[in-house]
Amino acid sequence: MEKANDGKPFELHTSYDDKEKYYRNLRNPWLFLLLMFALYAVTKQSIIFGIFALVSVIPGSIYQIQIMKIRKEAKTQEW
């Protein structure tokens, strides 16, 4: 089935809960990598794993910011 051309872009996740779940599913693997790299960096005293841990913070933070925006938007829509 094709979406009618109403000038709005197609959006797969339409509810705030769906959007939040989508971004959580994107964020969680990055948090796992951060934890693993940080543990290796500390236990092996490795700068390389520390750098990998810092790099994995970036996408995790971006997705967390999206989650916070969605929560704020959902809260304002409740009123």
Side-chain angles (χ1 to χ4, degrees):
M1 179 174 263
E2 192 172 320
K3 178 185 173 297
N5 188 1
D6 58 2
K8 296 179 183 176
F10 176 75
E11 199 169 337
L12 182 62
H13 305 286
T14 55
S15 75
Y16 293 115
D17 288 336
D18 285 344
K19 290 178 185 178
E20 183 177 339
K21 184 177 178 183
Y22 172 72
Y23 284 113
R24 272 197 328 262
N25 287 335
L26 292 174
R27 178 203 61 194
N28 289 344
W30 289 104
L31 293 178
F32 177 76
L33 285 175
L34 168 64
L35 178 64
M36 290 294 103
F37 286 140
L39 284 173
Y40 275 112
V42 171
T43 58
K44 305 289 185 188
Q45 297 180 354
S46 170
I47 293 174
I48 300 297
F49 283 118
I51 292 170
F52 287 156
L54 288 175
V55 168
S56 63
V57 167
I58 296 167
S61 298
I62 291 170
Y63 293 131
Q64 182 61 37
I65 290 168
Q66 290 297 322
I67 291 168
M68 292 184 327
K69 284 181 183 179
I70 289 167
R71 287 179 182 165
K72 184 178 180 181
E73 193 175 316
K75 201 175 254 191
T76 59
Q77 292 296 324
E78 287 178 0
W79 299 99

